[in-house]
Amino acid sequence: MQELEGSALTRAFPSGISAIINTLLTYTSSGDHALICDNVYGPTASFCNKILRKYDVAIDFIPPDIGSNIVEYLQPNTRLIYLESPGSNTFELQDIPAITKEATKRDIITVLDNTWATPLFLNPFALGVDIVVQSVTKYISGHSDVLLGTVSVNQRYAEESDTFYQVMETFAPP
Ligand SMILES: Cc1ncc(COP(=O)(O)O)c(C=O)c1O
């Protein structure tokens, strides 16, 4: 997966939703604001609505065809933008380079769920995305053969992510 994604670091998780939840928890803190694309996988939206908000992370949903107009939704404490392109079931596309351009200027992390396109059809890192999550349960494994997720990060987040994964590994069975 690391080779396919062209990432600096890729780690496996027990499922796609586990990869997503771990990413959202790792990269947000109490007092942050996160923008979530309106066409994300349903449980991702539910996690943000029902759990992340409990930890004082403010959540706003953004239109699924968003581009440079992302600036209208940014707040001084916006920490993370979460994209899915194409999005679950409705398949809208976001203007990824326009969004990452604005995010990078402000040091905001961009995360993209690449389950639908897979790294074969979309290379989010080439478009400036920082973190790519993938449900390997789906197309990438042939579908229904395994339950697995991955999180891939660019060089900028490799060290921070690796520290987090090392903490997680201390809980893994020998
Ligand atoms: C776009 C997308 N992301 C994440 C997931 C979650 O993946 P998993 O079933 O491996 O937890 C799914 C599952 O349907 C999905 O369609």
Side-chain angles (χ1 to χ4, degrees), residues 93-104:
L93 302 175
Q94 292 101 61
D95 186 343
I96 300 168
I99 294 168
T100 56
K101 185 174 159 213
E102 298 301 333
T104 309

Side-chain angles (χ1 to χ4, degrees), residues 15-18 20 41 84 88 113 115-116 135 137-138 147-148:
S15 65
I17 193 66
S18 164
I20 291 164
Y41 175 58
E84 196 179 299
S88 280
D113 182 334
T115 299
W116 286 101
S135 168
T137 315
K138 301 292 167 355
L147 183 62
L148 194 69

Side-chain angles (χ1 to χ4, degrees), residues 47-138:
F47 177 79
C48 292
N49 265 330
K50 294 183 184 155
I51 311 286
L52 217 48
R53 278 195 168 127
K54 279 202 314 183
Y55 293 97
D56 195 26
V57 177
I59 305 290
D60 276 320
F61 287 89
I62 48 177
D65 59 349
I66 195 152
S68 57
N69 55 331
I70 189 91
V71 291
E72 293 164 26
Y73 297 85
L74 297 177
Q75 294 182 14
N77 60 338
T78 305
R79 165 80 174 140
L80 183 143
I81 300 170
Y82 188 101
L83 308 170
E84 196 179 299
S85 184
S88 280
N89 304 334
T90 45
F91 302 112
E92 298 92 342
L93 302 175
Q94 292 101 61
D95 186 343
I96 300 168
I99 294 168
T100 56
K101 185 174 159 213
E102 298 301 333
T104 309
K105 272 192 230 166
R106 297 166 174 85
D107 221 18
I108 297 170
I109 302 172
T110 45
V111 181
L112 185 138
D113 182 334
N114 202 21
T115 299
W116 286 101
T118 82
L120 297 183
F121 296 107
L122 176 66
N123 178 356
F125 292 118
L127 304 181
V129 170
D130 296 308
I131 301 178
V132 178
V133 291
Q134 177 86 42
S135 168
V136 180
T137 315
K138 301 292 167 355

